[in-house]
Every structure is written in C-alpha cells, then in structure tokens.
Amino acid sequence: MKTLNPLSKSLKTLVLLSGMLVSSLSFAGIATDTNDNDVILSGYDTVSYFTKEAPVQGKSDISAVYNGAIYHFTSEDNRDAFKADPAKYAPQYGGFCAFGTSISQKIPVDPTIYEVLDGKLYVQSGAKAMELWVPEKVSRITSADKIWVEIKDIAADEL
C-alpha cells in the first residue's frame, strides 16, 4: 500500500480546504428568497408567470439553478427557455417582496400574489403589500431598483 509523505498530505489538505472555502464564498453573496431546500418561489414555475399568465407549480425533477436558487419547471421547454435567458424570467429582487424591497426590507413572498410589468416579474408578500404596491408601482420600482443594489447582499434578518 502506498502512503503519502507529510508534505503530500499537507498539500492535499490545503487543496481540499481551499476548494471548500471557494465553494462557500461562491454562495455567500447570493441574495434570493428560497426555502430550506434552496427552492425559489415555493417551486412555482417562473416561466409560467409569463406564458400561462399564472403561477403553475413546477416539478422537482425538472429544475435549474440560477444565483444559488433552485427553480422548478412544469416542462423541459420551460426549463430550457429559462436556461437560455434566466434574467428574463427570474423574479425581481431575488424573489423577495417587491413592495418590501421598496422600503428596504427583504420579506418572503406568497408566489401567487404577483404582477408581470414591462416583462418583469414582481412578487409580493401578501394582498396588503400588493394593495400598497399598485397605486405607486412606478415610483416603488424606481426606489426598489436603487435600494436592491444596496441591500441585495445583506441577510434579511440583518435589515
């Protein structure tokens, strides 16, 4: 049986630890509203908001990863459309409540309360958030776009 000399063991350990560090850093700045399994939009197919004009529950065996979040899809066609242009279909503000983002908060959403506006998906935390969003949505989007740049890498519980 071949044994490693101490230098080889140290080098192997260093490479392994470096890989783990890089791996953990690659997800450190991800800012998405996901569940404990890293699934965004509670598993609803993000493409369906655009093509069916309604959220449709996706299938866990048809999925893709974008910005550290797992997206589920109803079909391989939807998954492929998403993979071809994920920014087109991904919800704004990492899938956090659009109204909440406009007031510097990262609030989890109810994926069935949403609006597609100018080709972008805005999800809300509930009916009250949507009620507050609708009359001022243009100014809220302007605010949320600016605020998101500042808060996107901050954990929700640190805001």
Side-chain angles (χ1 to χ4, degrees), residues 112-158:
T112 65
I113 300 177
Y114 71 96
E115 180 175 24
V116 174
L117 184 64
D118 296 329
K120 295 181 179 182
L121 174 60
Y122 300 92
V123 286
Q124 304 292 349
S125 60
K128 185 66 176 176
M130 182 61 92
E131 181 184 320
L132 295 169
W133 169 263
V134 169
E136 302 173 341
K137 62 182 141 191
V138 173
S139 63
R140 293 241 177 241
I141 289 170
T142 300
S143 294
D145 287 349
K146 290 176 186 172
I147 291 168
W148 182 247
V149 172
E150 298 170 13
I151 69 169
K152 68 180 178 179
D153 295 327
I154 300 171
D157 60 357
E158 293 178 14

Side-chain angles (χ1 to χ4, degrees), residues 8-147:
S8 294
K9 285 182 181 178
S10 295
L11 184 58
K12 187 174 183 179
T13 302
L14 180 61
V15 168
L16 179 63
L17 291 174
S18 297
M20 290 169 58
L21 177 63
V22 169
S23 176
S24 67
L25 289 176
S26 66
F27 290 101
I30 300 303
T32 54
D33 178 22
T34 59
N35 66 16
D36 291 340
N37 296 318
D38 296 329
V39 175
I40 196 166
L41 296 173
S42 299
Y44 281 89
D45 179 343
T46 191
V47 176
S48 71
Y49 290 88
F50 297 88
T51 60
K52 300 283 188 198
E53 297 180 7
V56 178
Q57 192 67 47
K59 301 174 186 173
S60 62
D61 61 333
I62 306 173
S63 62
V65 176
Y66 177 66
N67 282 346
I70 300 169
Y71 288 80
H72 290 172
F73 302 94
T74 57
S75 69
E76 291 177 3
D77 287 343
N78 281 10
R79 181 200 56 210
D80 295 346
F82 177 82
K83 287 172 87 173
D85 191 0
K88 175 180 178 179
Y89 297 106
Q92 299 301 293
Y93 319 122
F96 287 100
C97 177
F99 172 78
T101 302
S102 75
I103 58 169
S104 300
Q105 296 295 309
K106 287 183 171 179
I107 303 170
V109 298
D110 174 343
T112 65
I113 300 177
Y114 71 96
E115 180 175 24
V116 174
L117 184 64
D118 296 329
K120 295 181 179 182
L121 174 60
Y122 300 92
V123 286
Q124 304 292 349
S125 60
K128 185 66 176 176
M130 182 61 92
E131 181 184 320
L132 295 169
W133 169 263
V134 169
E136 302 173 341
K137 62 182 141 191
V138 173
S139 63
R140 293 241 177 241
I141 289 170
T142 300
S143 294
D145 287 349
K146 290 176 186 172
I147 291 168

